[in-house]
Amino acid sequence: MASCYFVPIPTSSHLISADLSKKFKIPKLIHTKKRYDGSKVTAFYGLKTPPYELDALEPYMSKRAINRHWGEYHRNFIEGLNRQLEKDDILYGYTLDELVKVTYNNGNPLPEFNNAAEVWNHDFFWESMQPGGGDMPTPGLFQQIEKDFGSFTNFRESFIGASLTLFGSGWVWLVLKREEKRLEIVKTSNAICPIVWDDIPIINLDLWEHAYYTDYRNDRAKYVDVFMDHLVSWNAATERMKRAEAFVNLGEPKIPIA
């Protein structure tokens, strides 16, 4: 189910500066009651399903692993976030992107940040994979990677190296840096998401142990190799790059190249 929300009855609020709201272009919030058959209706963020059947990534990611990861851990983040939002009226009506940015609070996260960011990260992660993934990027994206990393081999080694050297739990991302106008590999700890720094994520890899324990036990290296060789969706990455070019002028090559 796609993310959705109605605006419920206000209960309390956070102090969020006008400057921060202006920076992230947060819309004004309107607090209203929604009723149906005399009962109050409240709907918050929903659990999005992956864009493929839960067994579609086998044998590289099992249905059992996805059921546990998506059906339990991801669901827990959604439910935890919704419980927090029941207590705080000022955050109702935000898109998930806005919610992540404003609760990051310039590096002093509000209580809702971890759950909001983990929901965002997981939604993005499921869409960073596809059945029959891996292989090589489409031509335009491939040329951009070669331009920014020297070669696809360099990129692959750097992505794997970042994944294996991330301390503790977190995420590894391929992002487009707006100011530098180049692709870069970024490591984040725990729930941190690069959109809080205004980067544009292209792909990500979940490196919390729950992401790979079921299928790979403690073998993070094997999990990362399998992701790069058989799971990563270069189709999704290309579409994200095409959208990113609306905001960042990369020059040549254009994405995609026919």
Side-chain angles (χ1 to χ4, degrees):
M1 180 174 68
S3 298
C4 61
Y5 41 79
F6 292 115
V7 182
I9 303 171
T11 55
S12 63
S13 64
H14 284 305
L15 297 176
I16 301 176
S17 72
D19 288 344
L20 187 59
S21 295
K22 184 176 180 181
K23 177 180 179 182
F24 293 116
K25 300 180 181 178
I26 305 300
K28 291 182 178 179
L29 303 181
I30 301 173
H31 305 300
T32 59
K33 296 180 182 179
K34 297 288 182 181
R35 292 186 178 273
Y36 180 74
D37 289 340
S39 300
K40 184 177 69 175
V41 174
T42 56
F44 311 104
Y45 295 96
L47 180 65
K48 291 176 64 176
T49 57
Y52 35 76
E53 296 298 323
L54 299 188
D55 62 354
L57 301 183
E58 291 186 338
Y60 308 109
M61 187 172 289
S62 68
K63 181 178 180 180
R64 178 169 173 261
I66 293 181
N67 267 327
R68 186 182 184 197
H69 189 173
W70 170 76
E72 295 181 20
Y73 288 95
H74 191 172
R75 183 183 298 276
N76 286 341
F77 291 128
I78 285 278
E79 293 176 350
L81 175 61
N82 289 338
R83 284 193 297 270
Q84 290 173 314
L85 294 179
E86 287 176 350
K87 303 174 183 178
D88 296 285
D89 67 294
I90 200 169
L91 296 177
Y92 290 122
Y94 284 57
T95 68
L96 190 56
D97 288 47
E98 291 169 339
L99 186 64
V100 169
K101 290 176 180 179
V102 78
T103 57
Y104 183 63
N105 197 28
N106 287 330
N108 298 292
L110 302 179
E112 296 82 1
F113 174 74
N114 283 335
N115 280 323
E118 286 289 14
V119 171
W120 198 102
N121 295 350
H122 279 85
D123 286 343
F124 197 85
F125 175 59
W126 302 123
E127 295 173 3
S128 291
M129 298 183 289
Q130 69 176 62
D135 200 15
M136 301 296 285
T138 53
L141 178 56
F142 180 83
Q143 291 183 22
Q144 187 67 46
I145 288 173
E146 286 198 316
K147 176 182 174 182
D148 292 336
F149 292 94
S151 69
F152 182 77
T153 298
N154 288 345
F155 157 74
R156 188 182 187 282
E157 290 176 353
S158 297
F159 193 93
I160 291 174
S163 301
L164 298 183
T165 56
L166 175 70
F167 180 76
S169 300
W171 302 80
V172 170
W173 310 75
L174 175 66
V175 303
L176 178 62
K177 308 290 285 189
R178 293 177 188 260
E179 296 299 321
E180 295 85 346
K181 298 182 180 181
R182 57 171 286 120
L183 294 169
E184 190 169 300
I185 294 167
V186 173
K187 297 189 285 187
T188 63
S189 296
N190 300 319
I192 300 295
C193 174
I195 66 172
V196 302
W197 305 313
D198 211 27
D199 292 341
I200 302 175
I202 304 301
I203 59 173
N204 72 343
L205 177 59
D206 189 341
L207 289 171
W208 285 72
E209 190 178 65
H210 64 242
Y212 55 93
Y213 179 81
T214 300
D215 288 335
Y216 298 99
R217 295 298 184 263
N218 292 319
D219 196 342
R220 180 187 283 193
K222 185 175 181 181
Y223 165 70
V224 175
D225 278 338
V226 167
F227 174 81
M228 294 301 295
D229 291 341
H230 301 288
L231 293 173
V232 63
S233 176
W234 293 119
N235 292 333
T238 297
E239 290 302 312
R240 290 162 175 168
M241 284 292 293
K242 287 166 63 177
R243 290 194 296 270
E245 283 195 311
F247 304 97
V248 180
N249 181 7
L250 294 173
E252 296 296 334
K254 295 296 183 183
I255 309 294
I257 295 175

